[in-house]
Amino acid sequence: MKSILKLSKIKSVDDVAVLREAVSHNEGVIACQVSALKNEISIVYDDYFLKEEDLIQSIEEAGFTVI
């Protein structure tokens, strides 16, 4: 499964690292790419282990807002 989520507040390389770290801790995440220019994150994951809502929760717990 692949989800592309629009985010707000991606301002630095540190923000990108925090997002990658937050998402990668979920079991079932295969790949994650963050685009600070587009303010979005693209996540490939196994939907057997996790749902998009779980990813959104991880992102919001890291301090970002999913639009």
Side-chain angles (χ1 to χ4, degrees), residues 7-48:
L7 305 174
S8 64
K9 295 179 22 176
I10 302 176
K11 296 182 175 132
S12 68
V13 176
D14 291 336
D15 289 346
V16 172
V18 168
L19 279 165
R20 284 188 182 148
E21 182 79 17
V23 170
S24 66
H25 281 300
N26 290 292
E27 182 178 4
V29 172
I30 299 165
C32 170
Q33 183 176 11
V34 180
S35 172
L37 294 175
K38 294 180 182 179
N39 283 319
E40 68 183 23
I41 185 169
S42 174
I43 308 162
V44 178
Y45 61 97
D46 185 339
D47 61 353
Y48 177 80

Side-chain angles (χ1 to χ4, degrees), residues 1-5 7 18-32 41-47 49-66:
M1 191 84 178
K2 182 176 182 177
S3 292
I4 298 174
L5 304 170
L7 305 174
V18 168
L19 279 165
R20 284 188 182 148
E21 182 79 17
V23 170
S24 66
H25 281 300
N26 290 292
E27 182 178 4
V29 172
I30 299 165
C32 170
I41 185 169
S42 174
I43 308 162
V44 178
Y45 61 97
D46 185 339
D47 61 353
F49 294 103
L50 111 130
K51 297 179 179 149
E52 187 175 74
E53 294 82 31
D54 300 323
L55 296 169
I56 291 171
Q57 182 178 354
S58 294
I59 292 167
E60 290 181 344
E61 286 175 357
F64 298 88
T65 304
V66 179

